[in-house]
Amino acid sequence: MAFNFKEVMSKPERLAPGHRMCAGCGGTITVRTVLRALKPEDKAVIGNATGCLEVSSFMYPYTAWEDSYIHNAFENAGSTLSGVETAYYALKKKGKIKDNYKFITFGGDGGTYDIGLQSLSGAMERNHDLVYVCYDNGAYMNTGIQRSSATPMYADTTTTPVGKNSVGKMQNRKDLASIIANHDIPYVGQSTLIGTMKDLYEKAERAIYTPGAAFLNVMSPCPRGWRYETSDIMKICKLAVETCYWPLFEVIEGRWILNYEPKKKLPIEDFLRPQGRFKHLFKPENEELLVKYQEEVDRRWEELLYKCAR
């Protein structure tokens, strides 16, 4: 699948401007890039778990979505699109539908890692022909920046506040891409917003046009929750990849593939420093926390390299 930047960017937008998402938000960039991977002649049904994206892109009777759109509760986006996909193939078999439809659902990490994990797991295990895209911004941003299981270690959130007796969230983030890969589905991809979006676009295209279940986990920074300058979003994403905090990889039919390995792996401090949620880690008394953070990133990176080398 060749990536022609001019051709890709000339495709019509399937998420209209005028929505209420914040400036510098990674969620809408993720959505626009994923939907651009659709062929112009294909129609789509979009599912959307409750979250920032839903409340900011849809307020009845107004919607920013050009395709058919279903707002779901936090917990049932996976099951709703499973039902729609099943109905579509039943109707197509009877000759009642002739158009080609693709099924894509979007959810934040709260509605994917946590509340909606059961319906996502079910959809993946049943191998429905749909794509679930998690725009991972690392917390429940829509309801006040509460920690989720995607929140990284030591992050300052409203439910893991930094103070005299706390250094932020104590647990490491859940590795959801690996969990979904262990469902033995045809395709899993992990990406983020870097460069020309080539990596994310190609993974979205592969996910959409691979028969069966597919999952994309996309790190989508949040300027309010992460507390970075809105113009620095691409810098943040690049540092996440270059420090190996957020590796780019795919799992195709059970085969692990590393898409990018930094020539010089940067220290995790480079990724953490621009984010206000980690400013406490750079106090002299918290130096050992940075050491622990680096050890955890290194451990996960080595584990990924092992999987990809098998």
Side-chain angles (χ1 to χ4, degrees), residues 94-142:
K94 293 179 180 180
K96 294 184 177 182
I97 294 178
K98 294 183 179 179
D99 294 325
N100 290 323
Y101 277 85
K102 297 297 180 182
F103 304 91
I104 306 171
T105 191
F106 293 94
D109 50 278
T112 306
Y113 281 67
D114 298 339
I115 303 174
L117 182 60
Q118 39 72 38
S119 65
L120 167 61
S121 177
M124 298 293 102
E125 185 271 333
R126 293 188 299 271
N127 198 32
H128 287 279
D129 191 10
L130 59 83
V131 182
Y132 192 108
V133 182
C134 177
Y135 63 99
D136 184 345
N137 55 32
Y140 289 85
M141 300 303 182
N142 177 48

Side-chain angles (χ1 to χ4, degrees), residues 1-308:
M1 290 178 278
F3 180 82
N4 184 313
F5 183 75
K6 186 176 181 180
E7 181 181 312
V8 168
M9 296 307 293
S10 67
K11 287 184 177 182
E13 290 282 359
R14 292 186 183 239
L15 184 72
H19 51 72
R20 300 169 180 86
M21 295 291 271
C22 298
C25 169
T28 42
I29 303 173
T30 295
V31 171
R32 291 173 63 200
T33 306
V34 169
L35 294 184
R36 244 190 211 106
L38 284 160
K39 297 175 182 176
E41 64 269 21
D42 286 341
K43 296 182 178 180
V45 176
I46 307 298
N48 189 189
T50 298
C52 292
L53 182 62
E54 180 270 316
V55 300
S56 299
S57 65
F58 173 77
M59 185 176 290
Y60 184 82
Y62 304 106
T63 178
W65 302 86
E66 300 290 351
D67 293 287
S68 299
Y69 174 81
I70 304 173
H71 163 221
N72 302 105
F74 268 118
E75 64 271 17
N76 67 339
S79 55
T80 298
L81 262 287
S82 297
V84 175
E85 178 260 3
T86 302
Y88 164 74
Y89 281 111
L91 292 170
K92 195 162 189 180
K93 188 176 181 180
K94 293 179 180 180
K96 294 184 177 182
I97 294 178
K98 294 183 179 179
D99 294 325
N100 290 323
Y101 277 85
K102 297 297 180 182
F103 304 91
I104 306 171
T105 191
F106 293 94
D109 50 278
T112 306
Y113 281 67
D114 298 339
I115 303 174
L117 182 60
Q118 39 72 38
S119 65
L120 167 61
S121 177
M124 298 293 102
E125 185 271 333
R126 293 188 299 271
N127 198 32
H128 287 279
D129 191 10
L130 59 83
V131 182
Y132 192 108
V133 182
C134 177
Y135 63 99
D136 184 345
N137 55 32
Y140 289 85
M141 300 303 182
N142 177 48
T143 51
I145 317 175
Q146 297 93 350
R147 63 89 84 191
S148 75
S149 61
T151 304
M153 190 163 55
Y154 304 138
D156 180 18
T157 75
T158 53
T159 48
T160 57
V162 171
K164 291 181 179 179
N165 299 308
S166 171
V167 291
K169 184 192 173 196
M170 295 305 298
Q171 302 81 15
N172 199 10
R173 59 176 293 276
K174 184 189 292 181
D175 184 3
L176 185 59
S178 294
I179 292 170
I180 300 301
N182 285 329
H183 283 63
D184 196 27
I185 63 172
Y187 184 80
V188 171
Q190 181 162 292
S191 188
T192 188
L193 317 173
I194 54 173
T196 61
M197 310 295 179
K198 181 176 183 291
D199 184 81
L200 176 55
Y201 175 86
E202 290 181 340
K203 286 174 179 172
E205 188 176 39
R206 195 169 290 120
I208 292 168
Y209 292 101
T210 294
F215 177 77
L216 287 174
N217 203 24
V218 187
M219 192 188 80
S220 307
C222 169
R224 293 197 69 245
W226 296 23
R227 304 204 292 277
Y228 62 84
E229 294 295 327
T230 56
S231 59
D232 287 343
I233 182 169
M234 295 302 176
K235 173 186 173 183
I236 295 287
C237 292
K238 182 175 175 59
L239 288 171
V241 174
E242 296 293 338
T243 58
C244 299
Y245 168 80
W246 193 266
L248 306 179
F249 65 87
E250 297 171 288
V251 187
I252 303 175
E253 299 291 351
R255 185 166 62 94
W256 288 72
I257 302 167
L258 185 66
N259 302 121
Y260 177 77
E261 184 171 358
K263 291 181 180 178
K264 182 181 180 182
K265 184 168 172 280
L266 297 178
I268 193 60
E269 295 100 296
D270 290 5
F271 171 65
L272 302 177
R273 197 181 297 275
Q275 303 176 52
R277 60 179 178 163
F278 294 116
K279 67 179 182 180
H280 58 288
L281 295 182
F282 295 92
K283 295 179 179 179
E285 63 269 26
N286 289 330
E287 185 177 347
E288 77 281 359
L289 299 181
L290 284 174
V291 173
K292 290 180 181 178
Y293 210 121
Q294 185 68 65
E295 289 174 350
E296 185 59 32
V297 170
D298 293 344
R299 182 189 67 81
R300 290 198 173 195
W301 175 245
E302 292 300 322
E303 185 178 275
L304 177 61
L305 291 177
Y306 173 76
K307 289 177 179 178
C308 294

